[in-house]
């Protein structure tokens, strides 16, 4: 871990109209993480997490200058609930600012640490809108421990989604990535959709059955294949080479199953509609200090 005095906090390129990354790097250890890619110009080891120690002050300043309230997003690049957050509380401090000023929130995580801030998420949702999102990749907790080793397992994430639903906070699931020859099975897709339906999930974002690999994350991914899936690296190299897009051979049939199961469960899958929902601010009429 190392501290950095950042120059700005909000960006238009983090999955929401006003996205922020409080941390750069991660300790979850997900074997497929795109954020490891060289193209993001991270000037430190991925596990040597850069902490934007002045993030709350920058956010306070940025929101004070906005002429109208909007949704603030976080988590698209690096998880806001890595273990460091337990002691540093920078995410919580930023949520306090968002709540006090009456802005909305879209937050993506894989961690049940988000429950620590349930009080703030509820308050934000009472004034504007909170959208809580979880990434799910596999319905199998044992496989989850391999491909996402240092974060809570899928069943626990589903419990978090249920809790959010019970307190009236809308939820969205990111179903990605689906790794060829690992979790690209009909059983997995059906089970995840069922879990989401049982948890009252509003929508599931899925960009196809597959994964993206580029310089930086490809090497790490292949290293982990060698550790946990003997011989699979050679299959990937022969089949996909150095291509960015790595689709599953089962993409067409699995997407059909996915869309049918979500349709039957009343779960929204239209990508444009879901992004619009995440980015659309709602004023619920409560007074704020904005």
């Amino acid at each position: 871990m190392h501290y950095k005095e950042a120059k700005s906090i909000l960006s238009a390129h983090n999955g929401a109209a006003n996205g922020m990354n409080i941390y750069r790097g991660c300790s979850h250890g997900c074997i497929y993480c795109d954020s490891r890619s060289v193209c993001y110009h991270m000037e430190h080891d991925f596990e040597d997490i850069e902490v934007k120690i002045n993030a709350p002050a920058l956010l306070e300043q940025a929101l004070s200058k906005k002429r109208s309230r909007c949704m603030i997003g976080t988590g698209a690049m690096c998880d806001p609930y890595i273990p460091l957050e337990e002691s540093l509380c920078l995410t919580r401090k930023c949520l306090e600012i968002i709540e006090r000023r009456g802005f909305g929130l879209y937050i993506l995580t894989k961690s049940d640490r988000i429950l620590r801030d349930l009080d703030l998420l509820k308050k934000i949702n009472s004034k504007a809108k909170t959208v809580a999102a979880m990434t799910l990749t596999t319905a199998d907790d044992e496989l989850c421990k391999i491909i996402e080793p240092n974060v809570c397992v899928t069943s626990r994430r589903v419990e978090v989604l249920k809790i959010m639903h019970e307190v009236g906070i809308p939820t969205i699931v990111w179903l990605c990535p689906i790794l060829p020859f690992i979790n690209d099975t009909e059983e997995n897709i059906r089970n995840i959709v069922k879990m989401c339906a049982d948890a009252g999930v509003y929508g599931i974002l899925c960009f196809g059955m597959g994964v993206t690999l580029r310089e930086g994350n490809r090497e790490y991914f292949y290293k982990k294949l060698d550790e946990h899936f003997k011989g699979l690296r050679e299959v990937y190299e022969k089949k996909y080479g150095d291509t960015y897009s790595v689709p599953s051979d089962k993409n067409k049939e699995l997407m059909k199953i996915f869309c049918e199961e979500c349709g039957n469960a009343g779960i929204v899958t239209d990508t444009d509609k879901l992004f619009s929902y995440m980015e659309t601010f709602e004023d619920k009429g409560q007074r704020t200090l904005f």
Side-chain angles (χ1 to χ4, degrees), residues 57-99:
L58 289 173
L59 182 63
E60 184 82 69
Q61 182 181 47
L63 296 190
S64 71
K65 294 179 179 179
K66 286 196 173 291
R67 301 182 67 177
S68 59
R69 287 172 290 167
C70 61
M71 297 292 284
I72 305 299
T74 190
M77 187 72 180
C78 294
D79 200 305
Y81 287 107
I82 55 177
L84 281 174
E85 172 60 21
E86 291 185 7
S87 57
L88 296 177
C89 296
L90 292 179
T91 296
R92 183 169 179 86
K93 290 174 183 177
C94 287
L95 296 188
E96 289 173 343
I97 296 166
I98 291 169
E99 186 275 327

Side-chain angles (χ1 to χ4, degrees), residues 1-208:
M1 174 191 74
H2 63 281
Y3 295 127
K4 179 180 180 178
E5 291 279 339
K7 295 180 179 179
S8 62
I9 191 65
L10 293 183
S11 166
H13 306 289
N14 288 312
N18 290 277
M20 63 179 176
N21 289 310
I22 300 167
Y23 304 103
R24 290 197 77 200
C26 189
S27 54
H28 288 345
C30 304
I31 70 172
Y32 51 74
C33 184
D34 176 72
S35 295
R36 292 179 180 274
S37 300
V38 172
C39 65
Y40 296 119
H41 307 292
M42 207 170 284
E43 297 175 354
H44 52 87
D45 290 339
F46 194 67
E47 284 77 14
D48 177 20
I49 296 165
E50 179 180 284
V51 177
K52 296 179 183 179
I53 195 64
N54 60 334
L58 289 173
L59 182 63
E60 184 82 69
Q61 182 181 47
L63 296 190
S64 71
K65 294 179 179 179
K66 286 196 173 291
R67 301 182 67 177
S68 59
R69 287 172 290 167
C70 61
M71 297 292 284
I72 305 299
T74 190
M77 187 72 180
C78 294
D79 200 305
Y81 287 107
I82 55 177
L84 281 174
E85 172 60 21
E86 291 185 7
S87 57
L88 296 177
C89 296
L90 292 179
T91 296
R92 183 169 179 86
K93 290 174 183 177
C94 287
L95 296 188
E96 289 173 343
I97 296 166
I98 291 169
E99 186 275 327
R100 176 164 43 81
R101 290 190 168 271
F103 283 72
L105 173 71
Y106 163 72
I107 188 163
L108 171 64
T109 184
K110 288 189 180 87
S111 175
D112 58 356
R113 292 185 187 90
I114 192 174
L115 293 177
R116 180 202 64 184
D117 296 335
L118 188 59
D119 60 329
L120 284 170
L121 300 181
K122 290 163 64 177
K123 288 179 181 179
I124 293 169
N125 196 51
S126 71
K127 294 179 180 180
K129 181 171 67 179
T130 297
V131 179
M134 277 273 172
T135 299
L136 301 182
T137 58
T138 174
D140 182 342
D141 281 356
E142 294 307 310
L143 179 58
C144 183
K145 292 175 185 178
I146 295 173
I147 65 176
E148 299 156 347
N150 303 324
V151 67
C152 66
V153 293
T154 300
S155 60
R156 177 56 175 162
R157 292 179 219 171
V158 173
E159 288 178 3
V160 173
L161 290 168
K162 289 180 179 178
I163 291 170
M164 295 294 172
H165 179 67
E166 288 168 359
V167 298
I169 294 173
T171 57
I172 288 176
V173 162
W174 288 64
L175 179 59
C176 61
I178 299 299
L179 307 171
F181 311 108
I182 296 177
N183 61 338
D184 60 340
T185 67
E186 177 180 341
E187 179 185 21
N188 186 45
I189 301 305
R190 290 188 188 277
N191 285 342
I192 288 178
V193 174
K194 185 178 185 305
M195 288 176 170
C196 290
D198 291 344
V201 167
Y202 172 77
I204 303 177
L205 276 166
C206 180
F207 306 98

